[in-house]
Amino acid sequence: MAILGTKTYKNFIGGEWVEAASGETFESTNPANGDTIGAFPKSGPEDVDRAVEAAKTAFEEWRFVPAPKRGEMLFRFAQLIQENKADLADLMSHEMGKVLAEAGGDVQEAIDMCLYMGGEGRRLFGQTTPSELREKFNMSVRMPIGVVGVITPWNFPIAIPSWKIAPALVAGNTVVFKPATDTPALGERFVELLAEAGVPAGVVNIVHGGGGAVGKRLVGHPDVPVITLTGSRETGVQVLKDAADNLKHVHLELGGKNAVIVMDDADLSLATEGIIWSAFGTTGQRCTAASRVIVHRDVYGALQSKLVAAAEKMRLGPGWEEDTDVGPLINRSALDKVHSYTGIGRDEGATLLTGGEIASGNGLGDGNFYRPTIFADVEPDMRIAQEEIFGPTSALIPVDSIDEAIRVANGVKYGLSSSIFTRDVNRAFRAMRDLDTGITYINAGTIGAEVHLPFGGTKDTGNGHREAGQAALDVFTEWKSIYVDYSGKLQKAQIDVAE
Ligand code: NAD
């Protein structure tokens, strides 16, 4: 596929492609070589206001479209994504940088989510309950809320919008979508395909631009009752504060500092594969990336050698080349941040086993490439073991027991994903019970979520909501309890006790 170049893109508001009110644009660039992907509208508050108005108007009709019909549009959308899967993955490898196989996985997750949520169109279950009074009927139903502000990061540029937009739509809400400024072309394709699937004008709108101009206005807009954001902890805290005056529903999916525990009875080859995949897949730019490896001291040396050997075999290169294992980081400032943590780790006294440098040679110098990096002798309270680096850096922490391993794993402010490699069923069940994370894997890495289970984390990873699975519907609906009295007389609950 020819990758774009000089084309100028637009916002999609009320079913029309329009420029930003300012007429200004920003560029999206390829992180592997700096090529321009395209120019996108640099929108501001007035563009957001227009999109919210369109979404508010569309809500008045969309909420009456029968839910099974809304679901059928998601099925058509899933079909269109499937037909365009190879092109979307190729575009993703150019705009976001991830390797083709993983880009295909990102797109597949959107297909799975839309099929799952499309099915919700024929479920959206509420409850019926008995009444404490005669000739009275009780039920609860899910109601749509209104305009949903969807704010997404760049690291899963097709999957994450689907986790939010598919449940929002099937439940009868309308959407104003602000994708990350590093991946606007993918956001744009997502919305184009939704329109092609038959979603009516105004039901989904896209407004490109920065967090400060577009995101902040969306969060502050009085006619946007729901905000769903995936991003960093710092952004989440700001959004929560900005939404407080309007008492919005705010759904936050934030950072992680995920750990793999390797016990002395583990299959070390399996553990090595799981750790390498979790630490360096997507160049470590996953909220669920394994940036800590907590290892029983008896197998510490053996595991360390295996990990270093495997990391040093990985080939860096552009995501679209078939033999690439590790693509670039998203942008220059991410590269600088990741490299600064190598300095921090060294200064803290950790031992750099491999990596720790910006890659150059063979054209890599034109992109944001960083060598897979492993630190040993890491203490649990070091910054490299506490802070989200969001790059291909992992810290090995030695421990003496399962108790210590769980204590260290839980000793961070985040609580997204965790994993344990052990052949001991008792230890596995201890980990399932005691690891304080939203997701736990047994004998697998920290990544591999499926769309029909809740996704999200404890502690500072979020604010108690989940996306995916049935849990996602709670973000995008209000419960309404309905009491129908067919007795023909006034029956007073709790007072007129039925015989
Ligand atoms: P980010 O917080 O910088 O940006 C996320 C989005 O928020 C972007 O669209 C950005 O423009 C917007 N934004 C920024 N400031 C805003 C503001 N004040 N008001 C409204 N919107 C604003 O994050 P990022 O760099 O794009 O993504 C990386 C982060 O996302 C990491 O911390 C990662 O762990 C997290 N993440 C979490 C999950 C999860 O499910 N828990 C999944 C993927 C990524």
Side-chain angles (χ1 to χ4, degrees):
M1 181 192 182
I3 297 298
L4 312 166
T6 53
K7 192 172 161 190
T8 299
Y9 292 81
K10 295 183 175 173
N11 290 328
F12 188 60
I13 298 179
E16 287 177 18
W17 294 97
V18 292
E19 287 176 7
S22 68
E24 290 178 42
T25 57
F26 67 92
E27 284 193 348
S28 171
T29 53
N30 181 329
N33 57 20
D35 284 356
T36 301
I37 300 281
F40 294 83
K42 193 170 178 184
S43 314
E46 55 276 57
D47 302 295
V48 175
D49 291 357
R50 240 178 110 182
V52 172
E53 192 54 41
K56 200 177 155 193
T57 305
F59 177 65
E60 289 313 318
E61 173 51 28
W62 179 245
R63 71 194 174 109
F64 297 131
V65 173
K69 293 284 164 216
R70 297 195 297 250
E72 282 165 24
M73 286 182 210
L74 290 180
F75 291 144
R76 275 202 294 282
F77 179 47
Q79 179 67 36
L80 286 170
I81 306 178
Q82 180 70 56
E83 286 165 14
N84 288 276
K85 183 174 174 181
D87 282 355
L88 285 166
D90 192 41
L91 174 58
M92 197 181 301
S93 72
H94 286 76
E95 188 176 48
M96 184 274 160
K98 66 175 76 173
V99 301
L100 271 182
E102 290 184 48
D106 189 314
V107 176
Q108 185 61 43
E109 208 162 306
I111 296 168
D112 297 345
M113 182 59 82
C114 292
L115 293 177
Y116 178 80
M117 286 298 166
E120 275 308 313
R122 288 188 183 270
R123 288 189 293 269
L124 284 177
F125 292 140
Q127 296 144 349
T128 59
T129 68
S131 168
E132 59 192 44
L133 292 167
R134 290 174 187 239
E135 294 168 343
K136 192 177 170 195
F137 179 82
N138 296 352
M139 62 184 159
S140 63
V141 293
R142 289 186 183 276
M143 304 297 286
I145 307 176
V147 180
V148 176
V150 171
I151 305 175
T152 57
W154 43 265
N155 69 333
F156 279 83
I158 294 291
I160 290 181
S162 81
W163 297 355
K164 300 176 182 304
I165 293 174
L169 292 184
V170 81
N173 304 283
T174 56
V175 166
V176 177
F177 170 32
K178 189 209 94 59
T181 47
D182 282 307
T183 49
L186 289 155
E188 137 107 21
R189 281 298 287 144
F190 188 92
V191 168
E192 260 177 26
L193 293 175
L194 265 173
E196 204 178 321
V199 172
V203 170
V204 175
N205 307 274
I206 188 167
V207 182
H208 292 283
V214 175
K216 210 170 168 70
R217 176 61 184 156
L218 208 42
V219 173
H221 200 296
D223 291 332
V224 181
V226 185
I227 292 290
T228 172
L229 166 99
T230 297
S232 64
R233 181 188 180 280
E234 294 65 31
T235 302
V237 169
Q238 188 58 50
V239 163
L240 207 49
K241 286 180 183 161
D242 290 346
D245 281 344
N246 287 309
L247 289 172
K248 295 193 181 202
H249 296 218
V250 180
H251 162 229
L252 303 173
E253 295 290 340
L254 309 175
K257 190 69 191 174
N258 314 289
V260 173
I261 296 174
V262 182
M263 295 309 298
D264 49 347
D265 60 359
D267 175 338
L268 290 191
S269 298
L270 180 64
T272 301
E273 271 189 74
I275 293 163
I276 292 287
W277 171 231
S278 304
F280 304 131
T282 321
T283 320
Q285 302 169 110
R286 285 179 181 246
C287 50
T288 50
S291 52
R292 295 181 298 153
V293 182
I294 300 169
V295 194
H296 195 285
R297 217 175 284 275
D298 289 354
V299 292
Y300 188 77
L303 184 73
Q304 178 173 307
S305 314
K306 280 177 175 292
L307 288 174
V308 169
E312 289 178 352
K313 273 203 205 107
M314 299 188 97
R315 184 186 170 274
L316 274 62
W320 60 88
E321 289 181 1
E322 288 293 344
D323 56 351
T324 296
D325 298 307
V326 182
L329 288 160
I330 188 68
N331 53 36
R332 187 75 214 181
S333 79
L335 188 67
D336 292 344
K337 178 182 167 192
V338 169
H339 193 46
S340 78
Y341 272 98
T342 295
I344 290 168
R346 276 201 175 109
D347 292 347
E348 286 178 311
T351 308
L352 180 64
L353 294 178
T354 186
E357 57 182 13
I358 294 171
S360 54
N362 293 331
L364 297 180
D366 296 337
N368 311 313
F369 291 94
Y370 204 75
R371 299 231 170 264
T373 299
I374 302 177
F375 276 105
D377 308 319
V378 177
E379 298 289 338
D381 59 353
M382 287 180 181
R383 285 182 62 192
I384 56 167
Q386 289 288 328
E387 297 172 14
E388 188 181 46
I389 299 172
F390 224 56
T393 302
S394 207
L396 307 189
I397 307 172
V399 292
D400 291 305
S401 66
I402 180 81
D403 291 322
E404 187 184 357
I406 289 173
R407 202 166 51 245
V408 170
N410 289 343
V412 293
K413 64 184 169 197
Y414 298 108
L416 184 50
S417 185
S418 57
S419 110
I420 185 167
F421 284 87
T422 179
R423 290 167 164 130
D424 180 336
V425 70
N426 297 348
R427 286 168 161 177
F429 270 84
R430 282 279 315 281
M432 285 185 243
R433 186 190 64 188
D434 293 339
L435 287 170
D436 189 2
T437 52
I439 305 164
T440 293
Y441 295 88
I442 308 298
N443 289 324
T446 50
I447 61 185
E450 300 179 28
V451 301
H452 41 283
L453 283 183
F455 182 94
T458 62
K459 302 191 279 185
D460 285 13
T461 292
N463 59 343
H465 298 286
R466 292 289 184 273
E467 47 197 358
Q470 291 289 297
L473 297 172
D474 292 334
V475 173
F476 301 106
T477 54
E478 287 275 20
W479 281 113
K480 177 180 273 189
S481 298
I482 300 174
Y483 302 93
V484 184
D485 193 317
Y486 57 100
S487 70
K489 58 187 186 230
L490 180 67
Q491 301 193 84
K492 298 181 191 130
Q494 292 90 40
I495 294 171
D496 296 336
V497 182
E499 301 284 303

